[in-house]
Amino acid sequence: NAGVTQTPKFQVLKTGQSMTLQCAQDMNHNSMYWYRQDPGMGLRLIYYSASEGTTDKGEVPNGYNVSRLNKREFSLRLESAAPSQTSVYFCASSEVPKPRLFGQGTRLTVV
Amino acid sequence: KNQVEQSPQSLIILEGKNCTLQCNYTVSPFSNLRWYKQDTGRGPVSLTIMTFSENTKSNGRYTATLDADTKQSSLHITASQLSDSASYICVVSFVSGGSYIPTFGRGTSLIVHP
């Protein structure tokens, strides 16, 4: 099925551990995004990639790095996880001006 | 500062009833406004999109309105169903450097009871 696929769906990390969240889309979209969603807050943009080979910081980039591996894949890396990074992470892709298509989310808990 | 405010924060209605969700924004320059539906544990799914020149857009039982002068939008749900229970997110975008930059509201949590 066409869409945005995120892995893993759930993850528990210890403070200081590192991990990479994977995202892939098969719709040939140019733009891809990483968001975090916290209780009582709207989705906040972490990083985005307007096209293959480019990445830009969003609203809350600190503590994260991204890689646009190719047109399909956009990964989010936590180098040293902190409890404040406990959140639900969503990857999305779009072909402007069409709406973003979101993945199912990754629920991350940092203890 | 670009902001999107949604009200109410949460809403409980009985199945079959209508309801209206509100969205006020200060995003400028305005490009478009979207309403998303987010089921629990899922990613948001787009319901409607409106540009500056559009003041109403329907998608089945969902009807969105836009007043660009007062910077207000509403999402009206007709004859609610249990499956309408979800969070509804208003997203207002502006264009900067060739990219659409969205500002997300915090959402309205809707619960439909039988």
Side-chain angles (χ1 to χ4, degrees), chain A residues 66-98:
Chain A
V66 291
S67 295
R68 183 74 182 266
L69 304 171
N70 46 56
K71 193 170 186 180
R72 289 188 64 248
E73 299 171 289
F74 189 37
S75 62
L76 179 71
R77 182 160 178 85
L78 287 70
E79 289 292 350
S80 179
S84 61
Q85 293 177 305
T86 293
S87 187
V88 181
Y89 291 84
F90 287 98
C91 176
S93 72
S94 72
E95 198 63 39
V96 175
K98 294 183 178 179

Side-chain angles (χ1 to χ4, degrees), chain A residues 10-63:
Chain A
F10 301 94
Q11 183 71 50
V12 178
L13 289 178
K14 293 183 178 179
T15 298
Q17 284 186 317
S18 62
M19 80 160 294
T20 300
L21 281 63
Q22 306 288 351
C23 176
Q25 52 94 6
D26 56 7
M27 296 162 291
N28 205 36
H29 287 167
N30 278 317
S31 301
M32 297 186 73
Y33 314 83
W34 275 105
Y35 295 90
R36 60 178 290 173
Q37 187 175 39
D38 300 296
M41 303 190 72
L43 283 151
R44 292 183 293 170
L45 184 64
I46 304 171
Y47 271 93
Y48 67 99
S49 170
S51 62
E52 184 180 358
T54 69
T55 61
D56 287 286
K57 294 179 180 179
E59 182 184 355
V60 288
N62 292 343

Side-chain angles (χ1 to χ4, degrees), chain B residues 8 18 24 57 73 76 84 101:
Chain B
N18 303 334
N24 296 339
K57 185 71 70 76
S73 176
H76 186 76
D84 291 332
I101 309 299

Side-chain angles (χ1 to χ4, degrees), chain B residues 5-85:
Chain B
E5 299 290 339
Q6 291 188 242
S7 62
Q9 187 175 359
S10 60
L11 182 62
I12 300 174
I13 62 174
L14 292 176
E15 186 179 12
K17 298 296 185 182
N18 303 334
C19 68
T20 300
L21 314 180
Q22 299 291 343
C23 173
N24 296 339
Y25 63 92
T26 60
V27 174
S28 182
F30 174 87
S31 175
N32 61 64
L33 184 148
R34 293 190 171 104
W35 282 93
Y36 283 85
K37 178 186 179 188
Q38 184 177 20
D39 293 311
T40 301
R42 315 278 286 190
V45 175
S46 179
L47 291 175
T48 63
I49 176 174
M50 289 180 291
T51 58
F52 186 87
S53 59
E54 298 174 295
N55 56 24
T56 187
K57 185 71 70 76
S58 291
N59 178 359
R61 295 179 296 103
Y62 300 101
T63 299
T65 65
L66 172 65
D67 186 335
D69 291 331
T70 62
K71 297 187 177 181
Q72 297 179 326
S73 176
S74 65
L75 180 69
H76 186 76
I77 304 175
T78 304
S80 61
Q81 300 177 357
L82 298 179
S83 59
D84 291 332
S85 294

